[in-house]
Amino acid sequence: MFGEKPISKFLDLRLQAQEAILFHANIGPYLADADRAPKASDDLRRIAAQIGGITATSSPLILWLLRKRGYDLPTATEQLIGLSNTLADPLGANLSHRASAQRALRLPIVPSSLGSN
């Protein structure tokens, strides 16, 4: 079917984004996290770049279909990059990037408990 590949690719990236967000959610400005932060940042940036690539190269019809389903690819790209840039900030400092990325991808806003302390 027309457009099946970019939509399938986007849905796969959406899954990867949620996995990366959850897996790297507890990275902070701690010495113990110094080794994990670069890979985590790279993971998030790579996913953001691929979502940005779909935004830049997909047909207007595909982009319209994704927007119609409630996905905001430009915001997801921007917020995933923002999250990747703030991983080493104090815990909770990057919650707005995380939540905005999850909203843009229509994902559950987790971990919400990090910001409630």
Side-chain angles (χ1 to χ4, degrees):
M1 177 176 193
F2 173 75
E4 190 173 298
K5 186 171 181 171
I7 291 173
S8 176
K9 173 76 172 170
F10 167 72
L11 293 174
D12 183 53
L13 289 168
R14 181 176 174 259
L15 170 66
Q16 290 178 41
Q18 184 72 340
E19 289 174 354
I21 288 168
L22 294 177
F23 188 75
H24 301 305
N26 65 343
I27 290 179
Y30 310 109
L31 188 56
D33 291 336
D35 291 339
R36 290 179 53 211
K39 182 184 180 328
S41 181
D42 286 350
D43 289 349
L44 290 165
R45 282 178 135 348
R46 185 166 285 105
I47 294 165
Q50 291 181 60
I51 291 172
I54 290 172
T55 304
T57 61
S58 292
S59 72
L61 178 60
I62 296 300
L63 297 175
W64 178 83
L65 286 170
L66 290 170
R67 274 192 310 274
K68 187 80 169 155
R69 296 283 305 169
Y71 301 114
D72 185 346
L73 279 63
T75 297
T77 300
E78 179 181 318
Q79 295 303 315
L80 287 169
I81 290 171
L83 179 58
S84 77
N85 291 338
T86 59
L87 282 175
D89 288 359
L91 284 178
N94 57 24
L95 283 177
S96 66
H97 289 298
R98 182 179 300 130
S100 294
Q102 289 172 318
R103 264 192 301 280
L105 295 170
R106 297 188 59 215
L107 295 166
I109 309 299
V110 288
S112 59
S113 61
L114 284 178
S116 63
N117 293 340

